[in-house]
Amino acid sequence: MHFTGLVGPVREVFGLATAERDSGPKPVMTDLRRGVSTRAGTQSSPLMPALAAHPAQIGTPLPLIACPAMSELQTLASSAARGRRLDASQARRLAALAAADPRVVVRAAGELRDATTGPRITYSRKVFIPLTKLCRDACGYCTFAHPPIEGQRAFMTIDEVLAVAKQGEAAGCREALFTLGEKPERKWRRAREELNSMGFASTVEYLSEACRAVLEHTSLLPHTNPGTLTLGEAAALKEVSVSQGMMLETLSERLLRRPMAHFGAPDKKPGVRLATLENAGEARVPFTTGILIGIGETPAERIDALIAIRDSHERHGHVQEVIVQNFRAKPGTLMADAGEPRVDEIALTIALARLILPADVSLQAPPNLTPGEYGRYVAAGINDWGGVSPVTIDHVNPEAPWPKLRELGEVTEARGYSLTQRLAIYPSYCDSPSALDLWVHRDLRAKVLDATDGEGFPRTDEWYSGADHEPPDEVALAVEQGLAGAYHVPGRAVRVPLSETLDKAESGTRLSEDEIALLFTSHGAETERVYAIADRLRRETVGNEVTYVVNRNINYTNMCYFKCGFCAFSKGPKSLNLRGEPYLLTPEEVAGRAREAWELGATEVCMQGGIHHSFTADNYLEYLRAVKEALPAMHVHAFTALEVAQGARASGLSIEDFLIQLRDAGLKTLPGTAAEILDDDIRALICPDKISTEQWCEVHRIAHRLGLRSNATIMFGTVEGPRNWARHLVVVRSLHDAIAADGHAGLFEFVPLPFVHMAAPIYLRGRARRGPTFAEALKMHAIARIALHGAIDNIQVSWVKMGVEGSKLALQAGANDLGGTLMNENISRAAGASHGQELTADAMVELIESIGRVPRRRTTLYETVTA
């Protein structure tokens, strides 16, 4: 990305004449994962390790400049672009030198943004709620605040607040932005009297009540901008809002003097505003702040404000975004005739902010304040446009209408980026259980979980695993574009570390956990290439055949004493309210169902069930022997690692001894379910009493050593995210490698199983998301193909979870197997899935041929079944 519009005027603003020469830059090497990955309580970001692994390849090298000052500028900008922290003196030096060639700074900022946030430029779809326009401050540029007006209320009523919020909700908004004057009750008797009449002692108390009403009656998430706050006020508002904000604006004390911008505005004292920034950090509030440029501050004061914001964030990790907002002269204000910053000056300030601030702090510039020219800020390093409302005006800048979302998308996409919606809370503050625990009040976590995907972005489609919804058009288009090679089109933003990871995958090189996690964050052209590579690796590995097996699922009991939060199938003493009555099939009933399946052409029965409190090894053996005695040729695929471990423990047997008994009774293969997420931190949340990751792997290792075979699964979309998914894939790959290294046949397939949320206890208790989005589910199939390439050849798509149309797309994005006809599948349906009883062999053949592939009926172990 190049930016060439910076010209002479910036020399007047960031002139070399005011800069002192020093001995040159002294880059400070820092952990590039600081902030996003090491911020207390957040999930380790897959972005920053990849950046750290490629410090010298973030973009095309900047041109060398002969002049010593310009060469110094080049060195400082390049260091910052590579993620190195500039200390305060270096940051000020960079700003002072920037006028030598602003393009160097702008280009470096764009490269740093591309390397960290990639092709996404975010925005929040919001509704603007001006709770009160009374304010005790009188800023020289403000038209938002005004004195009491006879006949008008000082505050919006709760009904008025809800009317605006519901209008926004109907228009697809996700954020309720509360903006209001600062502490009007300290100046205006009207404000005090009205608050008292409603039973509130302060504006902040009433704001809390208004937020609570929005939370109770709408799906919107409040963001509050009440101005300066005490620690107690910040903590109180955290209970009813997912984020808060206050513009720092400037650190200039001069602006408090007559007749400067902040004369008559006691809350604009720098010390007061810095205290609020610190209070928000101590209260663990995701916080928005920023600088206001063009109100009389000097360039050096702008840099001082950015450094102060950075310092506070480095202490607390709470600054989710910084806004670089330009002053607009408004009629009727004391600054009506003041000059406004030029676009090139704004762009350079944005670029400097990007290079000075930590990489995990988002950078925003309001698009409505420079209509027709705001697109230039993309090259300068922004990654967010801020809140845009399809319903309400910008009450702070009423003369500046929001751009239409279509226009904003076109401007963004014309520069190679995609416009992506976010919530009022940024993803890194809600993308993991630990982040939620730290940054979101417990009363709001269920709402946030329900609204987000695995990266912390909002769910924007209506597809759910197991439901009767078609895949989103944009995901289907991404697959089509990927297979057509549209990601090659010049000008589309792609992070260099991610591109290099895909180069490795394409060459057959194994990917690390960090690299796999990075792939799960792909977006736009990046994702298209993920699909294309996965499809090519599938074709090279197994050809154009799509396999399927005629089988029957037999769930012999739904009675279980384990407490897996994601399971709506099992019935224990405390789960009788969930779907279905408790049952326990006899061995004869199981054998009868197997016989029915055999007569319909099945070659496999898959037997799994709940962990019955009375079961010992003998119960499992009885089921197995009943089937094998009735049908010696039937392949029995049965008993998860959990069932094997429980049966052995209940009978005082070793795992190996029990597996030998099962093998000798006719068991051939073990299903790889009960894996869920092979990350013990996540297992502790979703299935705390289940076997550990190592115990699960050990059962499979022993089984293969005894001549049995098994597959592996992943059940995803509850509370985990890209890092956990990558960790799971690496565990599965390592297990396969260890089995193969011992001279045994490895895992024969991998099966992604998207979480079905509808009746799952963990979701009903507000402790899980609504399963993965369709894009996440499809990526899982594609990235599994890439990550497991050279190990596990077969990637199965579960038509029960993905549906017929979703399965077609998965088969074009790395999958090669459609699984079984099932005949009965009760577990997904118990959780609320609409699919699940049976997909006939004829229907499978029709599905496969509809995408131009070759159907092949297989056995459990992928041998061809002949008629």
Side-chain angles (χ1 to χ4, degrees), residues 462-700:
E462 292 300 315
W463 184 91
Y464 303 111
S465 174
D468 282 328
H469 289 294
E470 296 296 301
D473 290 342
E474 60 269 23
V475 183
L477 179 61
V479 173
E480 180 182 334
Q481 290 180 323
L483 300 186
Y487 53 87
H488 289 301
V489 174
R492 301 184 70 190
V494 175
R495 286 164 286 179
V496 171
L498 196 143
S499 180
E500 292 180 347
T501 296
L502 288 173
D503 289 345
K504 288 177 65 176
E506 209 158 24
S507 70
T509 303
R510 282 202 168 181
L511 304 184
S512 67
E513 181 185 307
D514 283 346
E515 290 167 330
I516 296 168
L518 184 63
L519 292 187
F520 279 113
T521 71
S522 64
H523 189 74
E526 298 171 338
T527 303
E528 292 171 15
R529 192 176 172 205
V530 167
Y531 295 150
I533 291 174
D535 189 61
R536 184 178 67 76
L537 292 176
R538 181 270 311 162
R539 192 167 54 250
E540 292 175 358
T541 303
V542 295
N544 283 321
E545 290 182 336
V546 174
T547 49
Y548 66 96
V549 61
V550 178
N551 69 349
R552 183 171 194 170
N553 264 23
I554 303 176
N555 304 123
Y556 46 80
T557 184
N558 64 352
M559 299 171 70
C560 186
Y561 66 85
F562 279 75
K563 302 177 180 65
C564 301
F566 53 83
C567 183
F569 170 72
S570 67
K571 298 294 172 286
K574 297 182 179 179
S575 60
L576 297 181
N577 60 312
L578 300 178
R579 182 184 295 196
E581 294 295 322
Y583 71 85
L584 175 64
L585 300 181
T586 66
E588 293 74 24
E589 287 173 316
V590 168
R593 295 190 181 194
R595 188 177 294 107
E596 290 174 2
W598 180 265
E599 291 169 357
L600 292 170
T603 58
E604 171 198 305
V605 288
C606 176
M607 298 194 303
Q608 303 176 81
I611 307 301
H612 195 281
H613 65 277
S614 69
F615 272 23
T616 65
D618 290 340
N619 296 93
Y620 299 104
L621 288 163
E622 286 173 8
Y623 284 129
L624 179 57
R625 287 169 180 150
V627 172
K628 294 302 290 185
E629 287 171 6
L631 301 162
M634 180 69 85
H635 183 109
V636 180
H637 180 62
F639 312 134
T640 67
L642 177 62
E643 290 165 289
V644 171
Q646 186 272 343
R649 183 172 58 251
S651 301
L653 297 171
S654 68
I655 298 291
E656 182 168 354
D657 286 343
F658 183 33
L659 282 171
I660 289 172
Q661 292 184 24
L662 291 170
R663 180 197 64 189
D664 293 347
L667 182 65
K668 295 297 182 183
T669 55
L670 276 68
T673 42
E676 324 314 350
I677 294 291
L678 294 173
D679 181 331
D680 288 335
D681 289 342
I682 300 301
R683 297 177 79 80
L685 299 173
I686 66 174
C687 50
D689 51 355
K690 219 163 196 174
I691 56 176
S692 69
T693 295
E694 175 52 31
Q695 289 169 329
W696 186 91
C697 291
E698 181 63 10
V699 171
H700 285 264

Side-chain angles (χ1 to χ4, degrees), residues 2 171 191 194 243 291 303 319 347 362 423 433 445 534 574 579 628 666 697 721 776 796:
H2 295 270
E194 198 165 301
S243 56
I291 61 174
I303 303 306
V319 178
S362 285
L423 298 176
R445 289 171 196 159
K574 297 182 179 179
R579 182 184 295 196
K628 294 302 290 185
C697 291
E776 289 173 325
Q796 181 184 123

Side-chain angles (χ1 to χ4, degrees), residues 42 108 124 149 165 194 226 234 287 308 318 348 375 468 474 580 601 607 714 751 821 847:
T42 64
S124 175
I149 298 174
E194 198 165 301
F287 204 71
H318 65 307
L348 182 56
D468 282 328
E474 60 269 23
M607 298 194 303
I714 181 171
V751 190
T821 55
L847 184 160

